[in-house]
Amino acid sequence: NKDKALGIYRKLAVLYPSDSTSRYRSAMIYLDKGDTDKAAEIAEEIVVKFPKRAEGYRLRGIVSYHRRNFADAITELQHSVKLQPTVEGYYFLGLSLYERGELENALSQFRIIIDQNPSFVQARLFTGMILLSQKRVDDSVAEISKLLQIDGRNALAHNLLGSAYMANGMYEEGLKELNRATELDPKLVEAHIRKGIFYLNRGNVKQAETDLRTAIKVRPELLNTRLILFSYYIQRNDRTKALSLLQEGLTGKKEDAVLYNCMAAVMFAENRTTEAMTCLQKAKVIDPTFLAPYFNMATFHAASGDYAK
């Protein structure tokens, strides 16, 4: 009951004007509600009222992180941990550095947290993710294994461990972890996608289609998953399923241009040139900056001998 909590924090701020905690906690609730403006307003109040305390600067940094202004977030959070080192400060500093692609610096912040609080699961999870992205696979496996000793039912950790095993060529172990991840969280799209691609590579057509379809059902807006399955249908020469899959993904948004372009490819393959050109025209209209339909229309006109077009 966030609104009731906010009311209590407002009373506390009046009763204990020298205590910044209630203001800070209320700002975090506003952030949770998506109201970054109100949270930013409270952050400024804390900085003005308590300029030598870390909370206001930490809150400024967290607000900047939520607004995806990572440079400002880093500056504010670095100042906050100098004034008062806290797990929360280091965590959001690590996240901000991670978003900026400063992986080694982000790793340093997460390691500080783990040294102070070994059971902080999120810090271990990001550490494992960064190590895997740096191709330090064995180190990633070790970190995620420690995490799973703390929280054995963490679906994201099982997904990450499965990915690490796959990267090391340990396919059976990887598949076991990915299956465990989807058991714990059936909506974990990344695990379904990885399983689908694995099964495709192994020629297990039915299982691959099942996992990729599940991923699309959970997150229909993810274009790449749909395109992976589309490519698979085209390779099998199953144009009906390929076309249906693309049509199901149309939302009226800019991303539809990619789907219309792919639909045109299917129609060209079936000699439905008028419908194909209509799809390419729709792709151009919905996203004029997407170049593929222009190229495909030009190719068609050239093949037809209409060089001016």
Side-chain angles (χ1 to χ4, degrees):
N1 192 331
K2 294 171 187 172
D3 291 332
K4 199 167 185 177
L6 285 170
I8 294 169
Y9 282 133
R10 278 193 289 271
K11 288 178 183 177
L12 285 166
V14 173
L15 290 168
Y16 303 97
S18 63
D19 182 13
S20 58
T21 305
S22 57
R23 291 177 175 84
Y24 184 88
R25 294 292 176 203
S26 64
M28 294 302 285
I29 292 175
Y30 281 117
L31 279 176
D32 195 41
K33 293 174 67 158
D35 191 345
T36 55
D37 290 341
K38 187 62 179 174
E41 182 185 315
I42 295 170
E44 294 307 312
E45 287 175 9
I46 296 174
V47 169
V48 170
K49 194 170 179 63
F50 310 102
K52 294 184 179 180
R53 294 188 191 176
E55 290 97 322
Y57 305 103
R58 188 190 316 133
L59 191 53
R60 268 184 182 171
I62 295 171
V63 170
S64 293
Y65 170 79
H66 279 275
R67 288 174 168 172
R68 302 191 66 77
N69 187 347
F70 302 119
D72 285 352
I74 290 166
T75 301
E76 296 291 349
L77 290 163
Q78 284 174 334
H79 185 54
S80 82
V81 295
K82 282 180 184 176
L83 290 172
Q84 181 191 9
T86 63
V87 166
E88 194 172 37
Y90 284 120
Y91 180 62
F92 278 98
L93 178 55
L95 292 180
S96 301
L97 290 163
Y98 176 82
E99 291 287 353
R100 291 262 293 182
E102 298 182 37
L103 299 185
E104 276 302 321
N105 287 335
L107 205 54
S108 297
Q109 311 311 314
F110 295 133
R111 281 178 171 149
I112 290 170
I113 295 170
I114 292 167
D115 288 342
Q116 292 181 9
N117 184 357
S119 63
F120 195 102
V121 168
Q122 289 300 103
R124 287 198 183 276
L125 191 64
F126 272 97
T127 299
M129 284 171 57
I130 291 170
L131 291 170
L132 185 58
S133 71
Q134 293 177 329
K135 303 191 187 308
R136 295 159 66 180
V137 181
D138 291 339
D139 291 338
S140 178
V141 168
E143 193 62 56
I144 299 303
S145 297
K146 289 176 187 174
L147 191 164
L148 286 170
Q149 289 173 13
I150 300 164
D151 180 9
R153 295 183 60 80
N154 189 307
L156 285 171
H158 284 288
N159 175 50
L160 193 56
L161 185 57
S163 303
Y165 281 145
M166 290 283 187
N168 251 359
M170 300 165 65
Y171 301 115
E172 296 308 317
E173 294 89 339
L175 191 59
K176 181 182 175 183
E177 291 298 327
L178 293 175
N179 282 331
R180 180 61 176 147
T182 53
E183 283 172 18
L184 291 166
D185 184 359
K187 293 185 177 181
L188 190 56
V189 170
E190 293 85 353
H192 286 295
I193 294 171
R194 288 192 178 99
K195 285 167 63 182
I197 292 171
F198 170 76
Y199 285 125
L200 278 181
N201 291 333
R202 287 297 179 91
N204 189 336
V205 174
K206 188 175 180 181
Q207 189 60 54
E209 187 176 359
T210 298
D211 277 299
L212 291 172
R213 276 279 182 188
T214 301
I216 290 168
K217 186 177 179 181
V218 173
R219 293 282 300 281
E221 76 280 7
L222 288 181
L223 203 59
N224 282 347
T225 318
R226 195 176 294 276
L227 294 177
I228 290 168
L229 188 55
F230 164 75
S231 298
Y232 159 70
Y233 285 146
I234 291 297
Q235 286 170 10
R236 286 182 60 200
N237 211 28
D238 194 340
R239 293 173 190 152
T240 302
K241 276 190 175 181
L243 201 56
S244 175
L245 180 71
L246 297 173
Q247 289 168 337
E248 289 167 9
L250 294 173
T251 61
K253 295 180 180 177
K254 194 175 180 180
E255 291 75 16
D256 283 0
V258 176
L259 300 178
Y260 278 122
N261 186 63
C262 291
M263 286 165 65
V266 176
M267 290 167 181
F268 276 131
E270 295 179 342
N271 290 318
R272 296 158 60 186
T273 55
T274 303
E275 292 170 86
M277 292 297 279
T278 299
C279 284
L280 292 176
Q281 187 59 41
K282 286 180 179 178
K284 282 174 57 180
V285 170
I286 203 162
D287 184 2
T289 64
F290 180 47
L291 301 182
Y294 296 93
F295 182 80
N296 290 332
M297 291 179 90
T299 303
F300 172 76
H301 290 311
S304 305
D306 194 342
Y307 301 117
K309 277 191 179 178

